[in-house]
């Protein structure tokens, strides 16, 4: 009988040894919490498919952010639901829009203590539910760019630290960078949803943000899930157009993409742990089929291990609490 000379279990013997050799540690400051601002509400409205997450009235955003900051989370990502939708998503760049008001109140309350990131897209604001202007059934790229510029400028004007274009229109990062610079917002950063896949995991979000396409789907602008080189091309384009942070979205089914991006690019990488990824864990945990804390910390650490520097997640507040306990 020969016994193993190398014993991997030696360093797994005690909790102290295990934590000493842990390669990847999730930090609260890695997390960004998404907030839905609904202009139509006076009270929070629970989102059925996302237990624990609500749409908030503009007046409720500061209190929500207080609970985020209290946990040590440093960033929020704002989405808006307007009073009215139209073909050109004009609610998205209204100076008195819900998101614009929310940005201003957050900056007034927290100044630089909180990083305010805003989603720059039209789909919550267009009557078609598409991320761009539609003509004869087609989502038009270039006319949409002008509108995205306006949206980004209106957010910067209100005080946003980072704008995050998520519509997957070609040239959107360049258009937004030029728009911001021309308007004097040279310090407003761009977090580009560079590699955004057309995904079944956005289902609950579309209920949350009322932005399901009214016809067709998003496959003419979001990426197909069978492709990986295309993601790297998308990222490369955004880097060249002036993105400050790139994003891979969703996160969990695309860890290989995060990892490939990490090895090829030198700027910060964000990963979006999307609504469906949240709801799956919540549903299983709610049925007693999975330990929510264990599964969530494993998922978020795996996203970081793949190479993400920041993680946008609906679990941000809970994860921050759990990280304090470990
Ligand atoms: C809008 C947008 C979507 C998400 C973020 N921004 C939905 C979509 O593209 O259909 C999804 C976020 C989530 O599922 O948590 N462009």
């Amino acid at each position: 009988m020969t016994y193993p000379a190398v014993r991997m279990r030696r360093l797994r013997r005690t909790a102290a040894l295990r934590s000493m050799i842990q390669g990847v540690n999730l930090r609260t400051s890695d997390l960004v919490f998404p907030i839905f601002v609904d202009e139509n509400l006076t009270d929070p409205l629970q989102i059925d498919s996302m237990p624990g997450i609500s749409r908030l009235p503009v007046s409720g955003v500061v209190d929500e952010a207080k609970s985020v900051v209290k946990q040590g989370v440093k960033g929020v990502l704002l989405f808006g639901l307007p009073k009215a939708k139209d073909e050109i998503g004009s609610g998205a760049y209204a100076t008195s829009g819900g998101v614009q008001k929310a940005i201003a109140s957050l900056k007034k309350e927290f100044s630089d203590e909180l990083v305010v990131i805003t989603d720059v897209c039209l789909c919550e604001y267009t009557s078609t539910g598409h991320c761009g202007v539609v003509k004869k059934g087609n989502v038009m790229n270039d006319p949409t760019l002008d509108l995205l510029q306006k949206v980004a400028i209106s957010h910067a004007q209100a005080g946003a630290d980072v704008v995050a274009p998520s519509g997957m229109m070609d040239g959107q990062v360049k258009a937004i960078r030029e728009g911001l610079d021309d308007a004097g917002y040279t310090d407003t950063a761009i977090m580009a949803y560079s590699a955004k896949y057309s995904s079944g995991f956005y289902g609950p979000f579309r209920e949350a943000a009322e932005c399901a396409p009214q016809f067709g789907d998003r496959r003419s602008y979001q990426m197909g899930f069978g492709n990986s080189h295309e993601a790297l091309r998308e990222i490369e384009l955004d880097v060249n157009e002036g993105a400050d942070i790139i994003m891979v979205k969703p996160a969990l089914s695309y860890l290989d993409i995060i990892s490939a991006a990490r090895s090829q690019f030198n700027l910060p990488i964000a990963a979006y742990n999307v609504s469906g990824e949240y709801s799956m864990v919540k549903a299983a945990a709610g049925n007693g089929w999975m330990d929510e804390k264990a599964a969530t910390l494993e998922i978020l650490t795996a996203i970081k291990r793949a190479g993400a520097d920041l993680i946008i997640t609906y679990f941000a507040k809970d994860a921050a609490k759990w990280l304090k306990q470990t």
Side-chain angles (χ1 to χ4, degrees), residues 34 36 50 77 79 119-124 129 131 165-168 193 196-197 199 201-206 209 211-213 218 221-222 249 272-277 314:
F36 298 100
M50 301 175 72
L77 172 60
F79 293 94
D119 187 77
V120 172
C121 193
L122 297 180
C123 65
E124 295 97 344
C131 304
S166 68
M168 288 298 278
Y193 287 67
K196 179 174 180 180
Y197 284 86
S199 170
F201 291 98
Y202 304 151
F205 176 94
R206 292 184 186 168
C211 68
R218 302 209 202 290
Y221 41 106
Q222 298 179 348
K249 178 186 175 183
Y272 200 139
N273 177 220
V274 299
S275 58
E277 299 172 22
Y314 304 96

Side-chain angles (χ1 to χ4, degrees), residues 88-108:
I88 52 168
S90 56
Y93 43 90
T95 35
S96 59
V99 167
Q100 288 80 357
K101 282 189 197 153
I103 299 166
S105 58
L106 288 172
K107 278 291 131 183
K108 188 162 170 243

Side-chain angles (χ1 to χ4, degrees), residues 229-243:
H229 291 121
E230 189 185 348
L232 299 173
R233 262 189 101 190
E234 283 280 8
I235 294 170
E236 190 176 16
L237 283 166
D238 284 359
V239 171
N240 292 336
E241 288 180 26

